[in-house]
Amino acid sequence: MASRKTILYLFDVDGTLTKPRQVITEELKKFLLEKVQRKVSVGLVSGSDYAKITEQMGGDDVAEKFDYVFCENGVMHFREGKLISSESILSLLGEQLTQRIINFSLGYMSKIELPAKRGNFVEFRSSMINICPVGRSCSQDVRDAFVKYDTEHKIRQKFVDALKKEFADKGVVFALGGQISVDVFPEGWDKRYCLNHIEDQKFEEIHFFGDKTTPGGNDYEIYNDSRTVGHAVTSPDDTKEQVKKCLNIE
């Protein structure tokens, strides 16, 4: 087998290594850092910022043990815990278009009736605008209720369709983000963006594991990229089992 320096295993976080917005289990964390990382380089790629990723990985000291952490789809790029580079969505979209998107989104969400609404409906990140009809400050119970309601009524998909119509030909992508939100980012700033940072590493194989790999999901583009070997997973347990088979780990 090739050395760990020539193969990279790249993992989405929510739904792949953790339950949505939850902390990774000690068992899976130990498996990745003690068994998988002995055989291949290991990286994380998420639409979330560094604070959220480190929280889900159990702290800064754990996140620093991964070879790569790509926050906000790779717009923030860490290697072994050190920030290497970062970009800003404003540099591409500009203030005027950014405000138009935010204003349209707030107006649209004000007309949606849900089982419950909480706070933090728009979260501005370096790489994207994260828009959440139910509010990101919702409790787990409210989140679960929204997920069930959204599955039935396609609230987010209708929202995405409206955004695409309103901002056609503006160079902006609108995609379902995680369980409860919509991600807004410049074309090309999906999770494939992180691959730009590792071209110099000359990996012979890059394997990507993600749970949102169907059209409209935020793993779709990198999962289908010719530079990666895509693995569609359904849960952290499924991720572990697929990795075990790939690497012949007992």
Side-chain angles (χ1 to χ4, degrees):
M1 181 178 177
S3 72
R4 69 179 298 274
K5 292 184 178 180
T6 63
I7 298 177
L8 172 64
Y9 273 36
L10 195 55
F11 297 92
D12 167 54
V13 178
D14 263 9
T16 299
L17 295 182
T18 74
K19 293 181 179 179
R21 292 299 301 127
Q22 301 299 307
V23 178
I24 191 171
T25 65
E26 287 297 320
E27 180 183 3
L28 184 54
K29 180 167 60 178
K30 186 175 181 180
F31 173 74
L32 291 173
L33 296 177
E34 295 185 9
K35 293 187 176 182
V36 177
Q37 205 172 36
R38 288 178 185 174
K39 293 177 173 285
V40 297
S41 295
V42 177
L44 309 174
V45 56
S46 171
S48 297
D49 60 25
Y50 191 72
K52 288 188 177 71
I53 293 175
T54 55
E55 177 187 345
Q56 289 183 262
M57 290 298 104
D60 289 345
D61 59 326
V62 176
E64 290 170 1
K65 293 176 182 178
F66 289 91
D67 297 290
Y68 302 91
V69 177
F70 299 112
C71 311
E72 305 187 35
N73 293 349
V75 172
M76 295 192 71
H77 164 211
F78 291 80
R79 289 190 188 182
E80 298 176 344
K82 297 179 181 179
L83 178 62
I84 304 300
S85 63
S86 64
E87 298 287 347
S88 171
I89 188 175
L90 280 173
S91 65
L92 267 76
L93 298 189
E95 186 66 39
Q96 185 178 22
L97 179 57
T98 299
Q99 286 197 35
R100 280 187 57 204
I101 293 169
I102 291 173
N103 291 342
F104 177 86
S105 298
L106 289 171
Y108 184 96
M109 287 188 291
S110 72
K111 299 178 179 66
I112 299 174
E113 291 192 10
L114 300 173
K117 283 186 179 180
R118 296 299 179 258
N120 193 11
F121 299 100
V122 177
E123 185 173 270
F124 190 87
R125 304 175 184 172
S126 296
S127 67
M128 71 176 70
I129 305 166
N130 182 265
I131 305 169
C132 183
V134 68
R136 295 197 63 86
S137 59
C138 64
S139 67
Q140 189 63 49
D141 287 345
V142 172
R143 170 189 279 264
D144 292 342
F146 174 79
V147 171
K148 183 178 179 180
Y149 191 82
D150 184 51
T151 300
E152 180 180 354
H153 297 282
K154 309 298 181 186
I155 298 298
R156 292 185 302 156
Q157 187 57 57
K158 292 175 183 176
F159 193 3
V160 166
D161 293 342
L163 285 161
K164 287 180 176 179
K165 181 179 179 180
E166 181 70 17
F167 298 100
D169 303 321
K170 296 297 184 182
V172 184
V173 175
F174 304 95
L176 302 182
Q179 286 187 310
I180 61 174
S181 58
V182 172
D183 290 337
V184 182
F185 49 86
E187 287 182 355
W189 282 32
D190 53 65
K191 287 181 179 176
R192 292 174 297 181
Y193 193 92
C194 75
L195 301 178
N196 299 329
H197 299 307
I198 52 179
E199 288 181 350
D200 61 326
Q201 301 302 296
K202 306 297 182 184
F203 285 110
E204 294 178 7
E205 295 178 17
I206 300 173
H207 292 252
F208 172 76
F209 296 80
D211 68 313
K212 296 292 190 298
T213 58
T214 56
N218 60 6
D219 296 327
Y220 176 76
E221 289 83 4
I222 189 170
Y223 171 79
N224 287 284
D225 194 278
S226 61
R227 293 168 290 181
T228 67
V229 179
H231 303 266
V233 303
T234 58
S235 67
D237 288 341
D238 184 41
T239 299
K240 183 178 179 181
E241 290 306 309
Q242 291 201 37
V243 172
K244 286 170 68 175
K245 290 180 181 178
C246 290
L247 294 176
N248 295 315
I249 296 174
E250 295 297 328

PDB file of all heavy atoms in Angstrom, residues 101-114 117 120-123 130-135 155 159 180 182:
ATOM      1  N   ILE A 101     -29.030  40.064  -1.267  1.00  0.00           N
ATOM      2  CA  ILE A 101     -29.327  38.669  -0.939  1.00  0.00           C
ATOM      3  C   ILE A 101     -29.881  38.563   0.483  1.00  0.00           C
ATOM      4  O   ILE A 101     -30.874  37.869   0.739  1.00  0.00           O
ATOM      5  CB  ILE A 101     -28.072  37.794  -1.100  1.00  0.00           C
ATOM      6  CG1 ILE A 101     -27.677  37.713  -2.580  1.00  0.00           C
ATOM      7  CG2 ILE A 101     -28.305  36.393  -0.533  1.00  0.00           C
ATOM      8  CD1 ILE A 101     -26.320  37.088  -2.824  1.00  0.00           C
ATOM      9  N   ILE A 102     -29.242  39.253   1.415  1.00  0.00           N
ATOM     10  CA  ILE A 102     -29.697  39.217   2.807  1.00  0.00           C
ATOM     11  C   ILE A 102     -31.107  39.807   2.931  1.00  0.00           C
ATOM     12  O   ILE A 102     -31.984  39.229   3.586  1.00  0.00           O
ATOM     13  CB  ILE A 102     -28.707  39.970   3.718  1.00  0.00           C
ATOM     14  CG1 ILE A 102     -27.382  39.189   3.808  1.00  0.00           C
ATOM     15  CG2 ILE A 102     -29.302  40.166   5.117  1.00  0.00           C
ATOM     16  CD1 ILE A 102     -26.282  39.935   4.539  1.00  0.00           C
ATOM     17  N   ASN A 103     -31.332  40.949   2.295  1.00  0.00           N
ATOM     18  CA  ASN A 103     -32.646  41.591   2.393  1.00  0.00           C
ATOM     19  C   ASN A 103     -33.748  40.731   1.779  1.00  0.00           C
ATOM     20  O   ASN A 103     -34.852  40.602   2.333  1.00  0.00           O
ATOM     21  CB  ASN A 103     -32.612  42.958   1.714  1.00  0.00           C
ATOM     22  CG  ASN A 103     -31.765  43.961   2.469  1.00  0.00           C
ATOM     23  OD1 ASN A 103     -31.471  43.774   3.649  1.00  0.00           O
ATOM     24  ND2 ASN A 103     -31.350  45.026   1.801  1.00  0.00           N
ATOM     25  N   PHE A 104     -33.461  40.140   0.619  1.00  0.00           N
ATOM     26  CA  PHE A 104     -34.448  39.263  -0.020  1.00  0.00           C
ATOM     27  C   PHE A 104     -34.745  38.066   0.879  1.00  0.00           C
ATOM     28  O   PHE A 104     -35.916  37.676   1.050  1.00  0.00           O
ATOM     29  CB  PHE A 104     -33.932  38.779  -1.376  1.00  0.00           C
ATOM     30  CG  PHE A 104     -34.860  37.814  -2.067  1.00  0.00           C
ATOM     31  CD1 PHE A 104     -35.905  38.280  -2.858  1.00  0.00           C
ATOM     32  CD2 PHE A 104     -34.703  36.442  -1.919  1.00  0.00           C
ATOM     33  CE1 PHE A 104     -36.777  37.393  -3.487  1.00  0.00           C
ATOM     34  CE2 PHE A 104     -35.560  35.547  -2.539  1.00  0.00           C
ATOM     35  CZ  PHE A 104     -36.600  36.026  -3.334  1.00  0.00           C
ATOM     36  N   SER A 105     -33.695  37.492   1.466  1.00  0.00           N
ATOM     37  CA  SER A 105     -33.864  36.308   2.310  1.00  0.00           C
ATOM     38  C   SER A 105     -34.693  36.613   3.547  1.00  0.00           C
ATOM     39  O   SER A 105     -35.581  35.834   3.929  1.00  0.00           O
ATOM     40  CB  SER A 105     -32.494  35.763   2.713  1.00  0.00           C
ATOM     41  OG  SER A 105     -31.753  35.366   1.578  1.00  0.00           O
ATOM     42  N   LEU A 106     -34.421  37.735   4.193  1.00  0.00           N
ATOM     43  CA  LEU A 106     -35.192  38.108   5.385  1.00  0.00           C
ATOM     44  C   LEU A 106     -36.662  38.340   5.026  1.00  0.00           C
ATOM     45  O   LEU A 106     -37.565  37.938   5.777  1.00  0.00           O
ATOM     46  CB  LEU A 106     -34.592  39.350   6.026  1.00  0.00           C
ATOM     47  CG  LEU A 106     -33.229  39.163   6.717  1.00  0.00           C
ATOM     48  CD1 LEU A 106     -32.648  40.508   7.125  1.00  0.00           C
ATOM     49  CD2 LEU A 106     -33.357  38.245   7.929  1.00  0.00           C
ATOM     50  N   GLY A 107     -36.898  38.982   3.880  1.00  0.00           N
ATOM     51  CA  GLY A 107     -38.272  39.199   3.441  1.00  0.00           C
ATOM     52  C   GLY A 107     -38.988  37.897   3.148  1.00  0.00           C
ATOM     53  O   GLY A 107     -40.155  37.711   3.536  1.00  0.00           O
ATOM     54  N   TYR A 108     -38.301  36.982   2.477  1.00  0.00           N
ATOM     55  CA  TYR A 108     -38.893  35.683   2.141  1.00  0.00           C
ATOM     56  C   TYR A 108     -39.211  34.899   3.415  1.00  0.00           C
ATOM     57  O   TYR A 108     -40.316  34.351   3.567  1.00  0.00           O
ATOM     58  CB  TYR A 108     -37.928  34.895   1.259  1.00  0.00           C
ATOM     59  CG  TYR A 108     -38.464  33.568   0.771  1.00  0.00           C
ATOM     60  CD1 TYR A 108     -39.062  33.458  -0.485  1.00  0.00           C
ATOM     61  CD2 TYR A 108     -38.366  32.418   1.559  1.00  0.00           C
ATOM     62  CE1 TYR A 108     -39.557  32.235  -0.939  1.00  0.00           C
ATOM     63  CE2 TYR A 108     -38.860  31.198   1.115  1.00  0.00           C
ATOM     64  CZ  TYR A 108     -39.452  31.113  -0.132  1.00  0.00           C
ATOM     65  OH  TYR A 108     -39.952  29.909  -0.568  1.00  0.00           O
ATOM     66  N   MET A 109     -38.258  34.860   4.351  1.00  0.00           N
ATOM     67  CA  MET A 109     -38.455  34.071   5.569  1.00  0.00           C
ATOM     68  C   MET A 109     -39.551  34.650   6.448  1.00  0.00           C
ATOM     69  O   MET A 109     -40.194  33.910   7.208  1.00  0.00           O
ATOM     70  CB  MET A 109     -37.142  33.963   6.346  1.00  0.00           C
ATOM     71  CG  MET A 109     -36.126  33.037   5.694  1.00  0.00           C
ATOM     72  SD  MET A 109     -34.662  32.732   6.720  1.00  0.00           S
ATOM     73  CE  MET A 109     -33.872  34.346   6.697  1.00  0.00           C
ATOM     74  N   SER A 110     -39.776  35.960   6.354  1.00  0.00           N
ATOM     75  CA  SER A 110     -40.813  36.584   7.181  1.00  0.00           C
ATOM     76  C   SER A 110     -42.203  36.099   6.799  1.00  0.00           C
ATOM     77  O   SER A 110     -43.145  36.234   7.583  1.00  0.00           O
ATOM     78  CB  SER A 110     -40.744  38.106   7.053  1.00  0.00           C
ATOM     79  OG  SER A 110     -41.216  38.540   5.781  1.00  0.00           O
ATOM     80  N   LYS A 111     -42.335  35.526   5.612  1.00  0.00           N
ATOM     81  CA  LYS A 111     -43.639  35.055   5.139  1.00  0.00           C
ATOM     82  C   LYS A 111     -43.840  33.552   5.349  1.00  0.00           C
ATOM     83  O   LYS A 111     -44.900  33.015   5.037  1.00  0.00           O
ATOM     84  CB  LYS A 111     -43.803  35.402   3.658  1.00  0.00           C
ATOM     85  CG  LYS A 111     -43.756  36.907   3.363  1.00  0.00           C
ATOM     86  CD  LYS A 111     -43.873  37.163   1.868  1.00  0.00           C
ATOM     87  CE  LYS A 111     -43.855  38.661   1.569  1.00  0.00           C
ATOM     88  NZ  LYS A 111     -42.563  39.284   1.893  1.00  0.00           N
ATOM     89  N   ILE A 112     -42.810  32.873   5.848  1.00  0.00           N
ATOM     90  CA  ILE A 112     -42.912  31.428   6.077  1.00  0.00           C
ATOM     91  C   ILE A 112     -43.475  31.165   7.474  1.00  0.00           C
ATOM     92  O   ILE A 112     -42.988  31.730   8.459  1.00  0.00           O
ATOM     93  CB  ILE A 112     -41.525  30.755   5.968  1.00  0.00           C
ATOM     94  CG1 ILE A 112     -40.919  30.956   4.581  1.00  0.00           C
ATOM     95  CG2 ILE A 112     -41.645  29.253   6.260  1.00  0.00           C
ATOM     96  CD1 ILE A 112     -39.504  30.444   4.477  1.00  0.00           C
ATOM     97  N   GLU A 113     -44.468  30.294   7.547  1.00  0.00           N
ATOM     98  CA  GLU A 113     -44.983  29.860   8.845  1.00  0.00           C
ATOM     99  C   GLU A 113     -44.479  28.441   9.119  1.00  0.00           C
ATOM    100  O   GLU A 113     -44.634  27.547   8.293  1.00  0.00           O
ATOM    101  CB  GLU A 113     -46.510  29.904   8.865  1.00  0.00           C
ATOM    102  CG  GLU A 113     -47.075  31.319   8.827  1.00  0.00           C
ATOM    103  CD  GLU A 113     -48.561  31.366   9.125  1.00  0.00           C
ATOM    104  OE1 GLU A 113     -49.106  30.317   9.542  1.00  0.00           O
ATOM    105  OE2 GLU A 113     -49.160  32.428   8.947  1.00  0.00           O
ATOM    106  N   LEU A 114     -43.874  28.264  10.292  1.00  0.00           N
ATOM    107  CA  LEU A 114     -43.282  26.984  10.680  1.00  0.00           C
ATOM    108  C   LEU A 114     -43.844  26.549  12.032  1.00  0.00           C
ATOM    109  O   LEU A 114     -44.481  27.343  12.728  1.00  0.00           O
ATOM    110  CB  LEU A 114     -41.760  27.134  10.785  1.00  0.00           C
ATOM    111  CG  LEU A 114     -41.011  27.573   9.528  1.00  0.00           C
ATOM    112  CD1 LEU A 114     -39.551  27.846   9.860  1.00  0.00           C
ATOM    113  CD2 LEU A 114     -41.118  26.508   8.445  1.00  0.00           C
ATOM    114  N   LYS A 117     -40.163  29.189  15.340  1.00  0.00           N
ATOM    115  CA  LYS A 117     -39.038  29.983  14.862  1.00  0.00           C
ATOM    116  C   LYS A 117     -38.274  30.513  16.065  1.00  0.00           C
ATOM    117  O   LYS A 117     -38.873  30.849  17.091  1.00  0.00           O
ATOM    118  CB  LYS A 117     -39.507  31.167  14.010  1.00  0.00           C
ATOM    119  CG  LYS A 117     -39.933  30.823  12.590  1.00  0.00           C
ATOM    120  CD  LYS A 117     -40.230  32.098  11.800  1.00  0.00           C
ATOM    121  CE  LYS A 117     -40.626  31.781  10.374  1.00  0.00           C
ATOM    122  NZ  LYS A 117     -40.907  33.010   9.584  1.00  0.00           N
ATOM    123  N   ASN A 120     -31.242  34.079  15.070  1.00  0.00           N
ATOM    124  CA  ASN A 120     -30.048  33.876  14.238  1.00  0.00           C
ATOM    125  C   ASN A 120     -30.432  33.266  12.896  1.00  0.00           C
ATOM    126  O   ASN A 120     -30.037  32.158  12.551  1.00  0.00           O
ATOM    127  CB  ASN A 120     -29.018  33.004  14.958  1.00  0.00           C
ATOM    128  CG  ASN A 120     -27.659  33.032  14.274  1.00  0.00           C
ATOM    129  OD1 ASN A 120     -27.417  33.843  13.379  1.00  0.00           O
ATOM    130  ND2 ASN A 120     -26.772  32.137  14.688  1.00  0.00           N
ATOM    131  N   PHE A 121     -31.192  34.040  12.113  1.00  0.00           N
ATOM    132  CA  PHE A 121     -31.677  33.569  10.814  1.00  0.00           C
ATOM    133  C   PHE A 121     -30.651  33.758   9.703  1.00  0.00           C
ATOM    134  O   PHE A 121     -30.695  33.052   8.692  1.00  0.00           O
ATOM    135  CB  PHE A 121     -32.971  34.307  10.446  1.00  0.00           C
ATOM    136  CG  PHE A 121     -34.084  34.094  11.424  1.00  0.00           C
ATOM    137  CD1 PHE A 121     -34.376  35.055  12.377  1.00  0.00           C
ATOM    138  CD2 PHE A 121     -34.816  32.919  11.426  1.00  0.00           C
ATOM    139  CE1 PHE A 121     -35.395  34.861  13.294  1.00  0.00           C
ATOM    140  CE2 PHE A 121     -35.831  32.705  12.334  1.00  0.00           C
ATOM    141  CZ  PHE A 121     -36.127  33.680  13.283  1.00  0.00           C
ATOM    142  N   VAL A 122     -29.739  34.702   9.864  1.00  0.00           N
ATOM    143  CA  VAL A 122     -28.689  34.947   8.872  1.00  0.00           C
ATOM    144  C   VAL A 122     -27.347  34.972   9.590  1.00  0.00           C
ATOM    145  O   VAL A 122     -27.143  35.753  10.520  1.00  0.00           O
ATOM    146  CB  VAL A 122     -28.903  36.286   8.133  1.00  0.00           C
ATOM    147  CG1 VAL A 122     -27.753  36.533   7.155  1.00  0.00           C
ATOM    148  CG2 VAL A 122     -30.230  36.290   7.390  1.00  0.00           C
ATOM    149  N   GLU A 123     -26.447  34.105   9.160  1.00  0.00           N
ATOM    150  CA  GLU A 123     -25.103  34.046   9.748  1.00  0.00           C
ATOM    151  C   GLU A 123     -24.085  34.340   8.651  1.00  0.00           C
ATOM    152  O   GLU A 123     -23.983  33.603   7.675  1.00  0.00           O
ATOM    153  CB  GLU A 123     -24.854  32.668  10.371  1.00  0.00           C
ATOM    154  CG  GLU A 123     -23.535  32.566  11.113  1.00  0.00           C
ATOM    155  CD  GLU A 123     -23.402  31.249  11.859  1.00  0.00           C
ATOM    156  OE1 GLU A 123     -23.816  31.183  13.031  1.00  0.00           O
ATOM    157  OE2 GLU A 123     -22.902  30.278  11.252  1.00  0.00           O
ATOM    158  N   ASN A 130     -25.000  31.956   5.552  1.00  0.00           N
ATOM    159  CA  ASN A 130     -25.809  30.804   5.953  1.00  0.00           C
ATOM    160  C   ASN A 130     -27.165  31.314   6.412  1.00  0.00           C
ATOM    161  O   ASN A 130     -27.252  32.116   7.338  1.00  0.00           O
ATOM    162  CB  ASN A 130     -25.114  30.020   7.065  1.00  0.00           C
ATOM    163  CG  ASN A 130     -25.898  28.787   7.470  1.00  0.00           C
ATOM    164  OD1 ASN A 130     -26.663  28.816   8.420  1.00  0.00           O
ATOM    165  ND2 ASN A 130     -25.705  27.702   6.742  1.00  0.00           N
ATOM    166  N   ILE A 131     -28.222  30.877   5.735  1.00  0.00           N
ATOM    167  CA  ILE A 131     -29.563  31.367   5.984  1.00  0.00           C
ATOM    168  C   ILE A 131     -30.408  30.236   6.557  1.00  0.00           C
ATOM    169  O   ILE A 131     -30.455  29.143   5.992  1.00  0.00           O
ATOM    170  CB  ILE A 131     -30.204  31.899   4.689  1.00  0.00           C
ATOM    171  CG1 ILE A 131     -29.303  32.974   4.063  1.00  0.00           C
ATOM    172  CG2 ILE A 131     -31.578  32.459   4.962  1.00  0.00           C
ATOM    173  CD1 ILE A 131     -29.714  33.354   2.662  1.00  0.00           C
ATOM    174  N   CYS A 132     -31.074  30.506   7.668  1.00  0.00           N
ATOM    175  CA  CYS A 132     -31.772  29.436   8.387  1.00  0.00           C
ATOM    176  C   CYS A 132     -33.211  29.846   8.709  1.00  0.00           C
ATOM    177  O   CYS A 132     -33.441  30.692   9.576  1.00  0.00           O
ATOM    178  CB  CYS A 132     -31.019  29.122   9.675  1.00  0.00           C
ATOM    179  SG  CYS A 132     -31.710  27.764  10.625  1.00  0.00           S
ATOM    180  N   PRO A 133     -34.185  29.272   8.032  1.00  0.00           N
ATOM    181  CA  PRO A 133     -35.589  29.656   8.264  1.00  0.00           C
ATOM    182  C   PRO A 133     -36.074  29.467   9.692  1.00  0.00           C
ATOM    183  O   PRO A 133     -36.881  30.246  10.187  1.00  0.00           O
ATOM    184  CB  PRO A 133     -36.358  28.745   7.298  1.00  0.00           C
ATOM    185  CG  PRO A 133     -35.372  28.412   6.224  1.00  0.00           C
ATOM    186  CD  PRO A 133     -34.050  28.310   6.927  1.00  0.00           C
ATOM    187  N   VAL A 134     -35.576  28.435  10.378  1.00  0.00           N
ATOM    188  CA  VAL A 134     -36.024  28.161  11.741  1.00  0.00           C
ATOM    189  C   VAL A 134     -35.195  28.927  12.765  1.00  0.00           C
ATOM    190  O   VAL A 134     -35.619  29.117  13.904  1.00  0.00           O
ATOM    191  CB  VAL A 134     -35.982  26.642  12.037  1.00  0.00           C
ATOM    192  CG1 VAL A 134     -34.553  26.129  12.084  1.00  0.00           C
ATOM    193  CG2 VAL A 134     -36.724  26.314  13.330  1.00  0.00           C
ATOM    194  N   GLY A 135     -34.004  29.393  12.375  1.00  0.00           N
ATOM    195  CA  GLY A 135     -33.107  30.104  13.287  1.00  0.00           C
ATOM    196  C   GLY A 135     -32.076  29.168  13.883  1.00  0.00           C
ATOM    197  O   GLY A 135     -32.424  28.143  14.473  1.00  0.00           O
ATOM    198  N   ILE A 155     -39.535  23.156   2.541  1.00  0.00           N
ATOM    199  CA  ILE A 155     -39.388  24.584   2.821  1.00  0.00           C
ATOM    200  C   ILE A 155     -38.085  25.129   2.255  1.00  0.00           C
ATOM    201  O   ILE A 155     -38.067  26.162   1.564  1.00  0.00           O
ATOM    202  CB  ILE A 155     -39.443  24.845   4.342  1.00  0.00           C
ATOM    203  CG1 ILE A 155     -40.790  24.414   4.920  1.00  0.00           C
ATOM    204  CG2 ILE A 155     -39.144  26.317   4.644  1.00  0.00           C
ATOM    205  CD1 ILE A 155     -41.973  25.166   4.371  1.00  0.00           C
ATOM    206  N   PHE A 159     -37.228  27.642  -1.011  1.00  0.00           N
ATOM    207  CA  PHE A 159     -36.435  28.842  -0.731  1.00  0.00           C
ATOM    208  C   PHE A 159     -35.272  28.936  -1.716  1.00  0.00           C
ATOM    209  O   PHE A 159     -35.017  29.988  -2.318  1.00  0.00           O
ATOM    210  CB  PHE A 159     -35.940  28.766   0.705  1.00  0.00           C
ATOM    211  CG  PHE A 159     -35.364  30.042   1.255  1.00  0.00           C
ATOM    212  CD1 PHE A 159     -35.345  31.223   0.531  1.00  0.00           C
ATOM    213  CD2 PHE A 159     -34.840  30.060   2.552  1.00  0.00           C
ATOM    214  CE1 PHE A 159     -34.815  32.398   1.062  1.00  0.00           C
ATOM    215  CE2 PHE A 159     -34.322  31.219   3.092  1.00  0.00           C
ATOM    216  CZ  PHE A 159     -34.296  32.391   2.352  1.00  0.00           C
ATOM    217  N   ILE A 180     -30.858  22.250   8.396  1.00  0.00           N
ATOM    218  CA  ILE A 180     -31.848  23.299   8.646  1.00  0.00           C
ATOM    219  C   ILE A 180     -31.596  24.599   7.887  1.00  0.00           C
ATOM    220  O   ILE A 180     -32.364  25.554   8.048  1.00  0.00           O
ATOM    221  CB  ILE A 180     -31.925  23.623  10.156  1.00  0.00           C
ATOM    222  CG1 ILE A 180     -30.573  24.141  10.682  1.00  0.00           C
ATOM    223  CG2 ILE A 180     -32.385  22.406  10.947  1.00  0.00           C
ATOM    224  CD1 ILE A 180     -30.615  24.622  12.131  1.00  0.00           C
ATOM    225  N   VAL A 182     -29.720  27.073   4.418  1.00  0.00           N
ATOM    226  CA  VAL A 182     -29.358  27.241   3.015  1.00  0.00           C
ATOM    227  C   VAL A 182     -28.013  27.959   2.965  1.00  0.00           C
ATOM    228  O   VAL A 182     -27.823  28.973   3.648  1.00  0.00           O
ATOM    229  CB  VAL A 182     -30.422  28.072   2.266  1.00  0.00           C
ATOM    230  CG1 VAL A 182     -29.948  28.407   0.854  1.00  0.00           C
ATOM    231  CG2 VAL A 182     -31.752  27.320   2.218  1.00  0.00           C
TER     232      VAL A 182
END
